[in-house]
Amino acid sequence: MSEAVTNYSWREALLIYTRKKTLVLSLLGFSAGLPFLLVFSTLTAWLRDEGVERTAIGFFAWVGLTYSIKVFWAPVVDRLQLPLLHGLFGQRRSWILLGQFGIAAGLALMSVMSPQESLVPIALAALLVAFSSSTQDVALDAFRIESAPDEEQGALSASYIFGYRLALLVSGAGALYLADIHSWSLAYLGMAALVGACILATLWADEPAHRTAEEQRRMDAQMVDQVMGRPMRLDERPLWQRQLLGAVICPFLEFVKRFGPFAFVLLLFIAVFRLSDIAMGVMANPFYLDLGYSKSEIASVAKLFGFFMTIAGSALCGVLVLRFGLLRPLMLGAVMVASTNLLFAVLAGVQGEGPPALVWLALVISADNLSGGIASTAFVAYLSSLTHRSYTATQYALFSSLMTLPGKFLSGFSGWVVDTSGYPQFFVIAAGLGIPAILLVGVLMHVERRKDLR
């Protein structure tokens, strides 16, 4: 890869951002990011604004579990050819389009419903959006990797992340502004219309080249034999065994074989690192509303201002990783995420006739988003370093599913905790959920030091 990079002049390297495939990835990144908040924090703000009980709002967090279990149907998206659509658009674009149609349909359905009268149908429509979005994510990841050689993946990833972050701003602050000016119905209908524009981007995109079925079978057989340590004669086995061994079992076995018993410590670390911020996130918008802030104020501070602080945290973490390696920024992020939850507890305890001064909300939001940017960037970099090059996509999908599943499950009880104990106690508990992550980063640092001493 390094040799390939030297073949690019500075001008050529910069001009890659003007190429069609890079622009397409920005638009598709927008398509991936748009639905996420609409079934998470933006949805909880709508429900609370309509007077839905916090306990019920908390249970809506379980809709997001679909993002955590997408690894189970990822092999289907990777291998199954959709009737008609595959012949017209190819393997990757056909699945992306199917996901986009599902997202648009789900958002349109939500826009014509009332939380007071149709809470269960709204939950089912949100589930359709989340399932379609996570399916689109699987196809988009494959599309991005297959669209360019390794030396261009950095530019494609940067374009994709920019589109994704922009979409979070639109579906967060933009939806709140629309709801405050007009209605939640118009906000969700407008988001559904934006998905239509994303469909045009998919039609504009070029389908990447793929391995033939025979090439894929040969590669699977070679990797299975290598991981299992003996000839498995994969070609002679039934189709379901070939798929199970090549796509599911071997990535896990390779990971365990490489790290030994310590692999399970790593998996535990992955599972608990984001407990604190995910558990807190579902109650963030209801908390701001209950403090007395308007939807426009929340959009300006928590969404628009917070967006730039997250970008700043990510950029700062990139510098820290270059200067100090992965583990120390990882520890910094874990400590900061837990600590900023205590700042929310302090804000929740402020008593007065109206909401606390907006500057206090801005300071707490700034600290929270800065810490989140540092923690998430360091964590993604660390997870990437754990993957094996032969199983990068599959192992990363397993890691990304594991890193959100426990937090999503626990966040379903967040509304119940607030209703029974109050916001200050809830944020203290959320801070406490960050302690296991801090301790496990300490374990990782200790193991790394022992390696250096050998």
Side-chain angles (χ1 to χ4, degrees):
M1 181 177 174
S2 59
E3 291 182 2
V5 172
T6 60
N7 292 330
Y8 288 83
S9 66
W10 280 106
R11 181 175 181 275
E12 290 171 334
L14 291 173
L15 286 177
I16 194 173
Y17 288 103
T18 65
R19 294 182 182 177
K20 176 183 176 180
K21 58 186 174 184
T22 313
L23 298 174
V24 165
L25 258 298
S26 293
L27 296 172
L28 293 181
F30 186 90
S31 180
L34 189 67
F36 183 73
L37 293 184
L38 297 175
V39 294
F40 191 51
S41 62
T42 300
L43 177 58
T44 62
W46 179 17
L47 297 177
R48 189 56 185 160
D49 196 41
E50 294 288 336
V52 177
E53 294 295 328
R54 286 183 290 261
T55 299
I57 294 174
F59 291 137
F60 267 77
W62 288 341
V63 170
L65 287 174
T66 53
Y67 291 97
S68 302
I69 60 175
K70 63 186 178 183
V71 66
F72 291 115
W73 62 88
V76 176
V77 177
D78 189 34
R79 304 286 176 94
L80 181 65
Q81 296 181 357
L82 293 173
L84 184 61
L85 289 177
H86 180 272
L88 293 173
F89 305 107
Q91 180 70 12
R92 304 310 179 197
R93 290 197 302 159
S94 62
W95 277 99
I96 294 171
L97 283 170
L98 184 64
Q100 290 171 331
F101 286 134
I103 294 167
L107 293 176
L109 286 173
M110 294 173 72
S111 72
V112 298
M113 297 177 185
S114 167
Q116 292 291 348
E117 300 173 359
S118 308
L119 193 60
V120 172
I122 282 182
L124 293 175
L127 184 61
L128 171 62
V129 172
F131 178 77
S132 301
S133 175
S134 56
T135 300
Q136 176 192 228
D137 288 348
V138 173
L140 271 175
D141 286 337
F143 178 90
R144 183 179 68 251
I145 294 169
E146 295 170 354
S147 292
D150 288 345
E151 59 267 22
E152 296 181 8
Q153 286 297 321
L156 293 190
S157 297
S159 298
Y160 181 87
I161 291 172
F162 172 76
Y164 194 96
R165 292 288 185 178
L166 183 61
L168 294 183
L169 185 62
V170 171
S171 60
L176 287 171
Y177 279 127
L178 280 174
D180 202 30
I181 295 171
H182 194 275
S183 67
W184 284 107
S185 177
L186 179 65
Y188 270 75
L189 189 61
M191 297 301 111
L194 285 177
V195 179
C198 297
I199 290 174
L200 295 178
T202 305
L203 298 177
W204 182 41
D206 297 320
E207 178 73 6
H210 304 289
R211 295 185 182 93
T212 65
E214 180 60 30
E215 289 172 339
Q216 185 66 54
R217 282 195 296 269
R218 284 200 302 268
M219 189 191 75
D220 287 346
Q222 291 171 358
M223 293 308 302
V224 168
D225 291 347
Q226 180 181 340
V227 172
M228 300 300 289
R230 60 188 177 88
M232 297 296 294
R233 293 183 174 88
L234 197 63
D235 289 338
E236 300 174 9
R237 294 175 178 271
L239 177 62
W240 69 269
Q241 289 186 15
R242 296 201 301 269
Q243 299 288 5
L244 186 64
L245 283 169
V248 180
I249 295 178
C250 279
F252 180 75
L253 289 179
E254 187 282 327
F255 180 73
V256 174
K257 183 178 179 180
R258 180 156 39 104
F259 289 102
F262 192 67
F264 298 97
V265 177
L266 292 172
L267 293 175
L268 177 61
F269 166 69
I270 293 169
V272 304
F273 187 81
R274 294 199 60 199
L275 279 180
S276 184
D277 66 315
I278 293 178
M280 172 268 177
V282 71
M283 280 292 115
N285 279 333
F287 171 60
Y288 305 145
L289 290 168
D290 287 343
L291 283 179
Y293 296 110
S294 70
K295 292 187 286 293
S296 294
E297 289 174 329
I298 296 171
S300 298
V301 177
K303 302 301 179 184
L304 186 61
F305 190 67
F307 166 80
F308 291 105
M309 293 305 297
T310 301
I311 296 297
S314 297
L316 174 61
C317 184
V319 176
L320 293 177
V321 169
L322 287 173
R323 182 65 179 83
F324 301 107
L326 279 170
L327 292 180
R328 280 189 275 184
L330 200 62
M331 174 64 83
L332 176 64
V335 172
M336 289 182 67
V337 165
S339 301
T340 51
N341 275 324
L342 296 178
L343 294 179
F344 280 99
V346 173
L347 186 64
V350 175
Q351 300 294 326
E353 296 182 358
L358 202 59
V359 64
W360 293 113
L361 179 65
L363 290 173
V364 174
I365 290 294
S366 296
D368 180 60
N369 283 273
L370 185 68
S371 64
I374 292 173
S376 61
T377 301
F379 191 46
V380 168
Y382 185 72
L383 292 186
S384 299
S385 73
L386 294 180
T387 59
H388 189 274
R389 293 186 67 181
S390 300
Y391 295 112
T392 303
T394 304
Q395 288 181 345
Y396 193 86
L398 290 169
F399 296 158
S400 62
S401 295
L402 183 59
M403 75 179 180
T404 58
L405 184 58
K408 291 287 186 182
F409 177 76
L410 287 179
S411 65
F413 299 100
S414 57
W416 174 78
V417 174
V418 172
D419 282 337
T420 56
S421 302
Y423 279 116
Q425 291 80 3
F426 166 75
F427 288 119
V428 171
I429 293 172
L433 290 175
I435 294 176
I438 296 172
L439 295 176
L440 285 171
V441 176
V443 171
L444 297 179
M445 296 176 76
H446 174 70
V447 171
E448 193 66 26
R449 280 196 297 270
R450 289 184 60 183
K451 287 182 180 178
D452 293 338
L453 293 174
R454 292 178 181 176

Coordinates of all heavy atoms in Angstrom, one line a residue, residues 218-249:
R218 N -13.3 -20.9 -4.3 CA -11.9 -21.3 -4.1 C -11.3 -20.5 -2.9 O -10.6 -21.1 -2.1 CB -11.1 -21.0 -5.4 CG -11.3 -22.0 -6.5 CD -10.1 -21.9 -7.5 NE -10.0 -20.6 -8.1 CZ -10.5 -20.2 -9.2 NH1 -11.3 -21.0 -9.9 NH2 -10.3 -19.0 -9.7
M219 N -11.6 -19.2 -2.8 CA -11.1 -18.5 -1.7 C -11.6 -19.0 -0.4 O -10.9 -19.1 0.6 CB -11.5 -17.0 -1.9 CG -10.8 -16.1 -0.8 SD -11.5 -14.4 -0.8 CE -13.0 -14.7 0.1
D220 N -12.9 -19.3 -0.3 CA -13.5 -19.8 0.9 C -12.8 -21.1 1.3 O -12.5 -21.3 2.5 CB -15.0 -20.1 0.7 CG -15.8 -18.8 0.7 OD1 -15.3 -17.8 1.1 OD2 -17.0 -18.9 0.3
A221 N -12.6 -22.0 0.3 CA -12.0 -23.3 0.6 C -10.5 -23.1 1.2 O -10.1 -23.8 2.2 CB -11.9 -24.2 -0.6
Q222 N -9.8 -22.2 0.6 CA -8.4 -22.0 1.1 C -8.4 -21.4 2.5 O -7.6 -21.8 3.3 CB -7.7 -21.0 0.1 CG -7.4 -21.5 -1.3 CD -6.9 -20.5 -2.2 OE1 -6.8 -19.3 -1.9 NE2 -6.6 -20.9 -3.5
M223 N -9.3 -20.5 2.8 CA -9.3 -19.9 4.1 C -9.8 -20.9 5.2 O -9.3 -20.9 6.3 CB -10.2 -18.6 4.1 CG -9.7 -17.5 3.3 SD -7.9 -17.0 3.7 CE -8.1 -16.7 5.4
V224 N -10.8 -21.7 4.8 CA -11.3 -22.7 5.8 C -10.1 -23.7 6.1 O -9.9 -24.0 7.3 CB -12.5 -23.4 5.2 CG1 -12.8 -24.7 6.0 CG2 -13.7 -22.5 5.2
D225 N -9.4 -24.2 5.1 CA -8.3 -25.1 5.3 C -7.2 -24.5 6.2 O -6.7 -25.1 7.1 CB -7.7 -25.6 4.0 CG -8.7 -26.5 3.2 OD1 -9.7 -26.9 3.8 OD2 -8.4 -26.7 2.0
Q226 N -6.9 -23.2 5.9 CA -5.9 -22.5 6.7 C -6.3 -22.4 8.1 O -5.5 -22.6 9.0 CB -5.6 -21.2 6.0 CG -4.5 -20.4 6.7 CD -4.3 -19.0 6.1 OE1 -4.6 -18.8 4.9 NE2 -3.7 -18.1 6.8
V227 N -7.5 -21.9 8.4 CA -7.9 -21.7 9.8 C -8.1 -23.0 10.5 O -7.7 -23.1 11.7 CB -9.2 -20.9 9.8 CG1 -9.8 -20.8 11.2 CG2 -9.0 -19.5 9.2
M228 N -8.7 -24.0 9.9 CA -8.9 -25.3 10.5 C -7.6 -26.1 10.7 O -7.6 -27.1 11.5 CB -10.0 -26.1 9.8 CG -11.3 -25.4 9.6 SD -12.1 -25.0 11.2 CE -12.6 -26.7 11.8
G229 N -6.6 -25.8 9.9 CA -5.4 -26.5 10.0 C -5.3 -27.8 9.3 O -4.3 -28.6 9.5
R230 N -6.3 -28.2 8.5 CA -6.3 -29.4 7.8 C -7.3 -29.3 6.6 O -8.1 -28.5 6.6 CB -6.7 -30.6 8.7 CG -8.1 -30.5 9.3 CD -8.4 -31.6 10.3 NE -9.6 -31.4 10.9 CZ -10.8 -32.0 10.4 NH1 -10.8 -32.6 9.3 NH2 -11.9 -31.8 11.1
P231 N -7.1 -30.2 5.6 CA -8.0 -30.1 4.4 C -9.5 -30.4 4.9 O -9.7 -31.5 5.5 CB -7.5 -31.1 3.5 CG -6.1 -31.3 3.9 CD -6.0 -31.1 5.3
M232 N -10.4 -29.5 4.6 CA -11.8 -29.7 5.0 C -12.6 -30.2 3.8 O -13.8 -30.5 4.0 CB -12.3 -28.4 5.6 CG -11.6 -28.0 6.8 SD -11.9 -29.2 8.2 CE -13.6 -29.0 8.5
R233 N -12.1 -30.1 2.6 CA -12.8 -30.5 1.3 C -14.1 -29.8 1.3 O -15.2 -30.4 1.2 CB -13.0 -32.0 1.3 CG -11.7 -32.8 1.1 CD -12.0 -34.3 1.0 NE -10.8 -35.0 0.7 CZ -9.9 -35.5 1.6 NH1 -10.2 -35.3 2.9 NH2 -8.8 -36.1 1.3
L234 N -14.0 -28.5 1.3 CA -15.2 -27.6 1.4 C -16.2 -27.8 0.2 O -17.4 -27.8 0.3 CB -14.8 -26.2 1.5 CG -15.9 -25.2 2.0 CD1 -16.3 -25.5 3.4 CD2 -15.4 -23.8 1.9
D235 N -15.5 -28.1 -1.0 CA -16.4 -28.2 -2.2 C -17.3 -29.4 -2.2 O -18.3 -29.5 -2.9 CB -15.5 -28.3 -3.4 CG -14.8 -27.0 -3.8 OD1 -15.4 -25.9 -3.3 OD2 -13.8 -27.0 -4.4
E236 N -16.9 -30.4 -1.3 CA -17.7 -31.6 -1.3 C -18.8 -31.6 -0.2 O -19.6 -32.5 -0.1 CB -16.8 -32.8 -0.9 CG -15.7 -33.1 -2.0 CD -14.7 -34.1 -1.5 OE1 -15.0 -34.8 -0.5 OE2 -13.7 -34.3 -2.2
R237 N -18.8 -30.5 0.5 CA -19.8 -30.3 1.6 C -21.1 -29.7 1.0 O -21.1 -29.0 0.0 CB -19.3 -29.5 2.7 CG -18.1 -30.2 3.4 CD -17.5 -29.3 4.5 NE -16.4 -30.1 5.2 CZ -16.6 -30.8 6.3 NH1 -17.8 -30.9 6.8 NH2 -15.6 -31.4 6.9
P238 N -22.2 -29.9 1.7 CA -23.5 -29.2 1.3 C -23.3 -27.7 1.4 O -22.5 -27.1 2.1 CB -24.5 -29.7 2.4 CG -23.9 -30.9 2.9 CD -22.4 -30.8 2.9
L239 N -24.2 -27.0 0.6 CA -24.1 -25.5 0.5 C -24.2 -24.8 1.8 O -23.4 -23.9 2.1 CB -25.2 -25.0 -0.4 CG -25.3 -23.5 -0.6 CD1 -24.0 -23.0 -1.2 CD2 -26.5 -23.1 -1.4
W240 N -25.1 -25.3 2.7 CA -25.3 -24.6 4.0 C -24.0 -24.7 4.8 O -23.7 -23.8 5.6 CB -26.5 -25.2 4.7 CG -26.3 -26.6 5.3 CD1 -26.7 -27.7 4.6 CD2 -25.8 -26.9 6.6 NE1 -26.4 -28.8 5.4 CE2 -25.9 -28.3 6.6 CE3 -25.3 -26.2 7.7 CZ2 -25.4 -29.1 7.7 CZ3 -24.9 -26.9 8.8 CH2 -25.0 -28.3 8.8
Q241 N -23.3 -25.9 4.7 CA -22.0 -26.0 5.5 C -20.9 -25.1 4.9 O -20.2 -24.5 5.7 CB -21.6 -27.5 5.5 CG -22.4 -28.4 6.3 CD -21.8 -29.8 6.4 OE1 -20.7 -30.0 6.0 NE2 -22.6 -30.8 6.8
R242 N -20.9 -25.0 3.6 CA -19.9 -24.1 3.0 C -20.1 -22.6 3.5 O -19.1 -21.9 3.8 CB -20.0 -24.2 1.5 CG -19.6 -25.6 0.9 CD -19.2 -25.5 -0.6 NE -20.2 -24.9 -1.4 CZ -21.2 -25.6 -2.0 NH1 -21.2 -26.9 -1.9 NH2 -22.1 -25.1 -2.8
Q243 N -21.4 -22.2 3.4 CA -21.7 -20.9 3.8 C -21.4 -20.6 5.3 O -20.8 -19.6 5.7 CB -23.1 -20.5 3.5 CG -23.5 -20.6 2.0 CD -22.9 -19.5 1.2 OE1 -22.2 -18.7 1.7 NE2 -23.3 -19.4 -0.1
L244 N -21.8 -21.6 6.1 CA -21.6 -21.5 7.6 C -20.1 -21.4 8.0 O -19.7 -20.6 8.7 CB -22.3 -22.6 8.3 CG -22.3 -22.6 9.8 CD1 -23.1 -21.4 10.3 CD2 -22.9 -23.8 10.4
L245 N -19.3 -22.3 7.4 CA -17.9 -22.4 7.7 C -17.2 -21.1 7.2 O -16.4 -20.5 7.9 CB -17.3 -23.6 7.1 CG -17.5 -24.9 7.8 CD1 -17.1 -26.1 6.9 CD2 -16.8 -25.0 9.1
G246 N -17.4 -20.8 5.9 CA -16.7 -19.7 5.3 C -17.0 -18.3 5.8 O -16.2 -17.4 6.0
A247 N -18.3 -18.1 6.1 CA -18.8 -16.7 6.4 C -19.0 -16.5 7.9 O -18.9 -15.3 8.3 CB -20.2 -16.5 5.7
V248 N -19.1 -17.5 8.7 CA -19.5 -17.3 10.1 C -18.4 -17.9 11.1 O -17.9 -17.2 11.9 CB -20.9 -17.8 10.4 CG1 -21.2 -17.6 11.9 CG2 -21.9 -17.2 9.5
I249 N -18.2 -19.1 10.9 CA -17.4 -19.8 11.9 C -15.9 -19.5 11.8 O -15.2 -19.2 12.9 CB -17.6 -21.4 11.8 CG1 -19.0 -21.7 12.1 CG2 -16.6 -22.1 12.7 CD1 -19.3 -23.2 12.0

